[in-house]
Amino acid sequence: MELKEQRFAAKGRLATALLQWLNLRPEEGERTWLMFAFYTVTSIGMLWLEASTVGLFLNEYGAESLPWIYVAGAGLGSFLGVMYSWMQRFLPLRQVIVSVAIFMAIPLLFFRVALNIAIAAAVTIFLMRLWLEAIFALNDLNTSITANQLFNIREIKRTYPLISSGILLADVISGFSLPVLLRVVGLNNVLVTSCVMMLLGAFLLFYLSRTYKQAFPDAPRTTSLENEPDFTNRRLGGPLKGYVIPLFGFFILAEALHLVVDFLFLSELEQQNPAGQDLAIGIASFLGVFNGILGLFELVMQWFASSRIVERFGVFAAATLLPAAVVLLSAFSLTPILPFFWGLVSLKFIEELLKYTLIEGTGPVFFQPLPDSIRSNIQSMVNGIAEPLAVGVTGVAILAAIWVCRMIFPQATPQEILGYQGTVFLVSVVLMGLGWFFIVWILRSRYLGLLVSSAERGRLGVSDVDMRALKRTVVETLEQKGNEDDKRSCIELLTQIDPEHVGEALAPLLPNLTPNLQRQSLEVMLNHPNPIYTSHLRTLLNQTVTPEVLALALRYIWLTEPELDIEQLRPYLRADVDPVVRGTAASSIMRRGNREQKAEATNALRHMLTHKQERERVMGCRALGEADYLQGLRLFIPNLLQDESLRVRCALLEVIASTHLEEYYPSLLRGLYYKSTRESAMRALVRLENEILDRLVALAEDIHKPDLVRMHAWTAIGQIGTLESLNVLVNHLVTSWGTTRRNILRILLKIPKEGGIEGVLDRIGRSGVEMLIDQELMLMGQIYQALIGLNPEETVGREANLLRRALRDVISDSVDRLFLLMKFLYPLGSIQAAAFNLKSGVRTNMARGLEILDNTLDIPSKRILLSILDRRADEEKLQSLSELIAIEPLSASDRLRRLVDLRHFISEWPLACCFHLARASRWSLSAEQTLACLNHPKSFVREAVLAYLKVASPRALAELLPRMKNDRDRLVASQVKEMMAELGIADSPRAASSTAGGPQGFPNYPGLPGLEAT
């Protein structure tokens, strides 16, 4: 038994390690492998079909007829794309994807039968080749839509590269197996095996859609066209228009070049075999082996080389590899150096290899500079309109080129004409490759310009662009005359992209920048000081600069050059020097001077800290923060913490953090209590990082502290941003409830670059977030049972109405937390749009919000959640929640006791309303419930419990009141004194016990002597 357990544990560790190596989370593994299997199996069938169909087509019609396929295929592909969208309006999506997968395979059986009919064979072969073009587009569309439904936007970044490599594996398997398949079943029967494989893929897709049915909307897509964003009515101008036009050209040229190379390759392949039936088999066998070898190289390229090439050379350099290789190979094929056929084989090989690895992988990056509002529309227009149109136009162009060659050389033999055509098309490939170079160059320059001008910070990574080109663009923008805000955005963008080497671009420009830009540049350069830039700063010091710039430049130089003579700083200690410069000089001397020099600097700072002018004291405090050792200046800190100037106190809080004065850390925490010092205290606490983490957690967990202070403590923990602080937030997210959970969710969502979202998913996974969603739904189930049990017909009165309104607020709070939780799994824009529409209260808007969620959510409790958010009766919502909780019919009084048992999960006001209703209705509550709520941190809850006890058990109240006369809340203490006076209770509980008595109808509770009606 132990051996079996060890084996299972070893398998589990192996599976976990494999998922980590593939950058997958455990809950994503099954879906990813099933999608990979579906795409691979379907692609194997389609690639078998492609090789056999191409062989039959070339044997029957020849390569010259291929352009007609390109033209007709473009039209058919567009038509099927429209049909795909049309089907979604009448069928649920999971039925659409399975139906399309079956629809792609079934015609192959009819084609197989028609091939045996002599009169229909030629037409059938043409239709097969046309159908092949269409189903490749349909399969890609089906796969991408299914993946987008199964995975959210964060998951698909990890899973789709693995899924998309299924076609590369299919290339290998189908390529090497096809020659054997041809010998075993024959060319015509390959259609049957292809159909079987595609149907197997459809079965896998059916299994996926049933297993993960929550990922697919049950209802057809009914959104009208009026509600869809219409890009065609928007006018593009300026840099955006200058970028979008070459962007279209990039993808159009890529598709056109691919078709011309494919036509050249198949034309020459046709000439390598004698005419007859063997031609089709020979072509199919050759294509099988060719695709198999190509698939091996594509797999290796995709898994091991593509990302490294992009990371090392940048996106634009990677995009030029394909046209460079195509131009070189085409040029060699035009010379006797390389045999014409093998030159075309090499050209086809390299074009396919780079197109389906580098170009397909980097293509989405080119859409990143576009605004969010139009990016998806532009991408849809490129893929859905521009590329099919490019296919059709290229087909017409090829036909025109063939016709022109025949018109110019009417006396030439067919073999000579083919030679002329090959030369023309190779020259056109060279020209298109050169045109590609030009378009990539335009895109790169405008890509950077668009990013710089719009300051789209946070989207661009170092691997996305050539850093030298970016720096050159920033330098050009800063050197030109223009708006200072635009130049400030340039510096911010460069800081986001490459903070460690920002000085390389900014240091030479410092003398020519405005004082504000000089200050900004020096501040970002000080984050990563480097001695190689000090010569530029010395040039700056020779000019007339503002005191702030002078102080920053001095600080930079003295941080980076340890061998400088400290005596050069002594003149800056004079009283007539601006305090910001004097403070910087004093702090530098205190770090690196000798004993006498440090004493002189200390004396200068002492005068600044005790000066009558506020600016002197502020700059003195800031200088303290830059000094390594405070020496005797520590004596001034207690007085400065009580300084009348807010700026001085705020500056001192940052000094405490920068110098790690642990004995004053409580002052940082107290700074969170006051609005005037809160921002400075937050910055100081965040600067201390893990050193202050335990104290912040203790403050945030203390339920007796003000909610606002606790929230800012959680916020500071989130801004610290270390692994330890993220662990704290995630751990408390799982164990907290109510307002605390809401605050933590908001803080995690605000962490830059989705660090909080990824942190939650890394630690508790998607299943953990789904568990939190289910918890909120289960709480809502209890609240709905309470609302139904405390219905207005049976439970009347002001207190009952207050409780019902409070319970509605609990449901509203839970809905808010549900939307926050959904943002961890789905795009923020979709969830915000759904929340906005649902909260509007307008029926049409609510329907739109529900449809957005229906098409976005894929959690198991999706149906329950949609039912809760819909405009339905409480009974219907409770019925839908019966899948998660047990529905218990309880009396109104028992339901109220159940609510009090849920005191840790509901907010304070509904809990107080429970005691008010119990008092008014003379319902009994247990001693445990009463005493627990009597210790509640919220004063109005304790007031409600005292009011309840006054009616329910005056005897127990008499014993408890003397213990509460010094309550921490003055209102509660005043209430206690009034009750003691009303009941004539002295400070001694024994003196008051004889006067205690209870009204009829409240039985004595044996658990607490004297406590009645509980």
Side-chain angles (χ1 to χ4, degrees):
M1 185 67 182
E2 293 180 359
L3 184 60
K4 287 185 178 180
E5 290 179 354
Q6 291 175 0
R7 288 178 179 174
F8 281 125
K11 290 181 179 178
R13 289 193 296 269
L14 181 62
T16 302
L18 178 61
L19 289 173
Q20 290 177 348
W21 182 73
L22 293 171
N23 194 28
L24 295 177
R25 295 194 174 103
E27 62 268 16
E28 300 165 356
E30 184 181 7
R31 287 174 290 160
T32 304
W33 290 120
L34 284 172
M35 273 298 297
F36 177 79
F38 150 71
Y39 194 41
T40 303
V41 169
T42 304
S43 297
I44 288 173
M46 294 174 61
L47 291 169
W48 281 344
L49 175 65
E50 180 186 29
S52 58
T53 301
V54 169
L56 290 170
F57 184 86
L58 293 179
N59 182 56
E60 182 69 28
Y61 292 99
E64 291 186 355
S65 299
L66 281 173
W68 294 107
I69 293 293
Y70 300 152
V71 175
L76 180 60
S78 300
F79 172 74
L80 290 177
V82 173
M83 289 294 295
Y84 196 104
S85 299
W86 178 79
M87 289 175 64
Q88 293 181 57
R89 298 182 180 275
F90 299 96
L91 294 174
L93 184 58
R94 65 169 175 265
Q95 294 182 19
V96 172
I97 59 174
V98 176
S99 301
V100 168
I102 296 173
F103 174 67
M104 292 191 304
I106 293 302
L108 304 188
L109 299 177
F110 295 100
F111 292 152
R112 175 64 188 88
V113 174
L115 285 176
N116 290 333
I117 303 174
I119 194 173
V123 177
T124 301
I125 291 172
F126 185 87
L127 293 176
M128 286 169 55
R129 186 66 182 85
L130 191 60
W131 186 247
L132 180 68
E133 293 288 325
I135 63 174
F136 267 110
L138 275 180
N139 187 51
D140 288 342
L141 184 62
N142 222 26
T143 303
S144 61
I145 287 178
T146 305
N148 282 324
Q149 291 296 132
L150 286 172
F151 304 98
N152 61 50
I153 193 170
R154 299 176 188 92
E155 294 171 337
I156 208 164
K157 293 177 182 178
R158 292 185 298 273
T159 60
Y160 199 71
L162 179 60
I163 294 170
S164 62
S165 64
I167 193 170
L168 306 182
L169 181 61
D171 262 334
V172 178
I173 296 174
S174 65
F176 290 120
S177 63
L178 184 59
V180 178
L181 195 65
L182 290 172
R183 293 192 188 97
V184 175
V185 301
L187 182 62
N188 291 350
N189 289 327
V190 171
L191 272 70
V192 179
T193 57
S194 299
C195 179
V196 170
M197 292 298 288
M198 293 170 68
L199 288 175
L200 178 59
F203 173 76
L204 289 172
L205 196 57
F206 172 77
Y207 176 78
L208 261 171
S209 66
R210 297 295 297 176
T211 305
Y212 299 96
K213 60 182 179 180
Q214 70 272 10
F216 301 90
D218 288 338
R221 184 171 61 89
T222 58
T223 305
S224 63
L225 294 176
E226 289 80 6
N227 295 328
E228 296 293 332
D230 182 12
F231 175 74
T232 58
N233 292 331
R234 302 183 182 182
R235 297 180 63 87
L236 296 176
L240 196 58
K241 183 178 180 181
Y243 181 78
V244 169
I245 292 176
L247 181 66
F248 272 81
F250 178 89
F251 289 97
I252 290 173
L253 200 56
E255 196 66 31
L257 190 144
H258 174 72
L259 287 181
V260 173
V261 171
D262 183 66
F263 174 76
L264 268 172
F265 172 71
L266 294 178
S267 298
E268 190 62 24
L269 183 61
E270 180 190 8
Q271 306 304 315
Q272 304 305 308
N273 290 277
Q277 182 63 26
D278 290 340
L279 173 64
I281 297 177
I283 289 176
S285 300
F286 180 85
L287 287 176
V289 176
F290 177 83
N291 288 334
I293 297 172
L294 176 62
L296 280 176
F297 279 85
E298 287 176 335
L299 274 176
V300 173
M301 185 80 170
Q302 180 80 355
W303 289 354
F304 302 107
S306 295
S307 60
R308 290 175 173 84
I309 290 174
V310 174
E311 184 177 357
R312 176 66 180 84
F313 299 103
V315 170
F316 294 98
T320 58
L321 287 179
L322 175 56
V326 166
V327 169
L328 289 176
L329 287 171
S330 299
F332 276 119
S333 299
L334 289 171
T335 66
I337 299 175
L338 191 65
F340 192 70
F341 172 70
W342 292 109
L344 291 181
V345 170
S346 303
L347 181 63
K348 175 68 173 175
F349 186 90
I350 293 298
E351 193 272 338
E352 291 260 354
L353 175 65
L354 298 179
K355 175 179 171 62
Y356 291 108
T357 53
L358 287 180
I359 301 302
E360 293 290 338
T362 59
V365 176
F366 294 112
F367 294 94
Q368 288 302 305
L370 300 177
D372 296 338
S373 58
I374 65 171
R375 188 190 305 129
S376 60
N377 292 301
I378 292 287
Q379 200 162 359
S380 298
M381 291 177 68
V382 168
N383 297 330
I385 299 176
E387 289 184 347
L389 184 63
V391 171
V393 172
T394 304
V396 173
I398 292 174
L399 287 173
I402 294 173
W403 179 79
V404 169
C405 285
R406 290 179 177 175
M407 290 294 294
I408 295 176
F409 306 103
Q411 304 300 325
T413 64
Q415 198 68 25
E416 291 174 338
I417 290 178
L418 288 174
Y420 297 145
Q421 291 176 7
T423 302
V424 169
F425 289 128
L426 278 177
V427 171
S428 67
V429 168
V430 172
L431 293 176
M432 283 191 287
L434 295 175
W436 193 323
F437 270 114
F438 180 67
I439 286 179
V440 170
W441 177 78
I442 294 176
L443 280 175
R444 186 179 72 169
S445 61
R446 296 182 180 178
Y447 181 93
L448 299 174
L450 191 62
L451 281 172
V452 170
S453 64
S454 59
E456 289 286 344
R457 299 182 297 273
R459 282 194 196 159
L460 192 63
V462 175
S463 63
D464 294 333
V465 70
D466 185 347
M467 290 306 303
R468 292 181 180 178
L470 174 60
K471 291 176 182 177
R472 185 169 60 250
T473 305
V474 170
V475 169
E476 291 174 356
T477 305
L478 293 174
E479 287 178 343
Q480 296 171 357
K481 294 182 179 180
N483 190 348
E484 186 170 312
D485 291 337
D486 293 339
K487 295 183 178 182
R488 185 179 297 110
S489 297
C490 290
I491 298 173
E492 291 174 359
L493 176 62
L494 188 59
T495 306
Q496 291 287 332
I497 298 302
D498 192 14
E500 294 185 6
H501 303 96
V502 69
E504 181 182 346
L506 296 180
L509 301 175
L510 286 173
N512 301 321
L513 296 177
T514 63
N516 289 334
L517 294 177
Q518 288 175 339
R519 180 177 179 178
Q520 181 188 8
S521 300
L522 287 170
E523 286 174 348
V524 298
M525 289 172 62
L526 276 168
N527 294 327
H528 300 278
N530 193 320
I532 65 176
Y533 307 131
T534 53
S535 60
H536 299 287
L537 273 76
R538 290 190 178 279
T539 304
L540 184 65
L541 291 179
N542 294 330
Q543 299 178 350
T544 302
V545 293
T546 62
E548 290 79 8
V549 174
L550 175 59
L552 290 169
L554 285 174
R555 184 182 175 196
Y556 192 97
I557 292 173
W558 288 90
L559 280 175
T560 55
E561 295 193 10
E563 303 299 328
L564 291 177
D565 184 7
I566 206 73
E567 290 294 324
Q568 297 179 19
L569 288 176
R570 295 185 70 176
Y572 293 108
L573 296 179
R574 296 196 310 266
D576 59 336
V577 177
D578 191 277
V580 64
V581 179
R582 196 184 331 140
T584 300
S587 63
S588 299
I589 293 174
M590 290 183 69
R591 279 198 306 270
R592 294 170 51 185
N594 57 35
R595 186 172 182 179
E596 180 183 352
Q597 292 166 340
K598 287 182 179 179
E600 186 176 357
T602 301
N603 187 54
L605 284 179
R606 183 182 296 112
H607 283 93
M608 293 179 69
L609 294 174
T610 57
H611 203 280
K612 293 182 179 180
Q613 292 185 6
E614 180 193 47
R615 189 166 185 267
E616 291 274 351
R617 300 198 303 277
V618 171
M619 294 307 166
C621 289
R622 291 180 181 176
L624 286 180
E626 298 173 2
D628 287 341
Y629 181 57
L630 300 185
Q631 299 178 0
L633 296 175
R634 288 172 178 262
L635 300 175
F636 295 95
I637 292 180
N639 290 333
L640 290 171
L641 283 172
Q642 305 297 325
D643 194 278
E644 61 181 8
S645 169
L646 174 62
R647 294 179 62 202
V648 172
R649 297 197 302 272
C650 291
L652 197 63
L653 293 179
E654 298 188 16
V655 170
I656 293 171
S658 61
T659 54
H660 300 272
L661 297 175
E662 190 172 353
E663 63 269 29
Y664 294 104
Y665 286 175
S667 298
L668 299 182
L669 297 175
R670 282 197 298 272
L672 296 177
Y673 286 76
Y674 309 102
K675 184 178 180 180
S676 57
T677 58
R678 187 170 293 138
E679 184 178 350
S680 298
M682 289 279 288
R683 284 198 304 269
L685 291 167
V686 171
R687 186 171 183 175
L688 288 170
E689 295 188 343
N690 293 337
E691 188 177 349
I692 198 70
L693 189 58
D694 291 339
R695 299 186 189 219
L696 278 173
V697 172
L699 176 60
E701 289 178 339
D702 192 345
I703 60 176
H704 299 292
K705 300 298 182 183
D707 288 342
L708 186 62
V709 175
R710 295 178 62 201
M711 183 192 73
H712 283 98
W714 288 122
T715 302
I717 294 172
Q719 291 180 2
I720 287 174
T722 61
L723 290 176
E724 292 78 6
S725 66
L726 197 54
N727 286 332
V728 167
L729 289 174
V730 176
N731 292 336
H732 282 81
L733 172 65
V734 177
T735 57
S736 64
W737 203 264
T739 302
T740 301
R741 174 176 285 185
R742 181 198 63 195
N743 291 337
I744 294 176
L745 286 171
R746 289 177 175 172
I747 291 164
L748 287 167
L749 288 170
K750 289 179 180 178
I751 294 178
K753 299 180 181 179
E754 298 188 347
I757 295 174
E758 293 299 329
V760 169
L761 296 178
D762 286 338
R763 287 159 178 79
I764 66 175
R766 179 188 176 91
S767 58
V769 178
E770 292 176 353
M771 178 194 69
L772 297 179
I773 292 174
D774 289 344
Q775 287 178 357
E776 295 289 348
L777 292 173
M778 287 188 282
L779 173 63
M780 294 174 74
Q782 295 292 343
I783 302 302
Y784 277 118
Q785 289 191 76
L787 286 170
I788 295 172
L790 300 171
N791 63 80
E793 296 179 359
E794 300 179 4
T795 309
V796 297
R798 174 174 172 268
E799 291 80 3
N801 291 333
L802 284 174
L803 177 57
R804 281 189 286 267
R805 284 200 295 269
L807 293 178
R808 295 288 179 189
D809 292 338
V810 173
I811 291 176
S812 178
D813 291 341
S814 283
V815 170
D816 289 341
R817 290 192 294 271
L818 282 172
F819 277 107
L820 290 173
L821 286 167
M822 284 187 278
K823 290 179 180 180
F824 285 83
L825 302 178
Y826 308 104
L828 301 181
S830 299
I831 301 303
Q832 286 175 334
F836 175 79
N837 282 283
L838 286 167
K839 290 179 180 179
S840 68
V842 180
R843 187 177 297 273
T844 55
N845 290 346
M846 292 185 68
R848 186 180 298 114
L850 289 172
E851 185 171 357
I852 292 172
L853 291 180
D854 192 15
N855 286 276
T856 302
L857 302 184
D858 59 352
I859 56 177
S861 52
K862 169 183 172 179
R863 292 293 110 202
I864 302 174
L865 183 56
L866 293 179
S867 174
I868 292 298
L869 297 175
D870 200 358
R871 298 180 61 166
R872 298 186 181 182
D874 291 346
E875 290 77 9
E876 293 182 41
K877 294 182 179 180
L878 181 60
Q879 188 60 39
S880 67
L881 286 163
S882 61
E883 299 179 22
L884 292 177
I885 62 169
I887 300 177
E888 303 175 83
L890 298 176
S891 64
S893 58
D894 288 337
R895 185 60 64 190
L896 186 74
R897 296 185 192 99
R898 176 65 60 84
L899 277 177
V900 178
D901 285 336
L902 296 172
R903 57 186 174 272
H904 300 294
F905 307 101
I906 62 177
S907 53
E908 299 84 4
W909 176 239
L911 182 60
C913 290
C914 288
F915 281 92
H916 288 305
L917 180 58
R919 172 182 54 79
S921 302
R922 292 179 175 267
W923 290 340
S924 62
L925 300 173
S926 71
E928 179 186 1
Q929 293 173 331
T930 306
L931 291 177
C933 294
L934 200 59
N935 290 319
H936 199 280
K938 291 297 182 182
S939 59
F940 57 81
V941 176
R942 301 197 297 277
E943 290 176 10
V945 176
L946 290 173
Y948 164 76
L949 285 175
K950 182 179 179 180
V951 175
S953 182
R955 183 182 304 170
L957 181 65
E959 295 182 3
L960 293 172
L961 285 176
R963 307 174 193 174
M964 298 185 64
K965 65 179 181 178
N966 295 321
D967 191 272
R968 55 186 174 272
D969 187 273
R970 59 183 181 84
L971 295 178
V972 176
S974 176
Q975 181 188 20
V976 169
K977 290 179 182 178
E978 289 179 4
M979 286 184 171
M980 292 176 66
E982 290 178 9
L983 296 176
I985 301 174
D987 288 347
S988 172
R990 184 177 300 176
S993 61
S994 60
T995 63
Q1000 295 182 355
F1002 287 89
N1004 289 329
Y1005 182 75
L1008 180 65
L1011 180 59
E1012 300 174 353
T1014 57

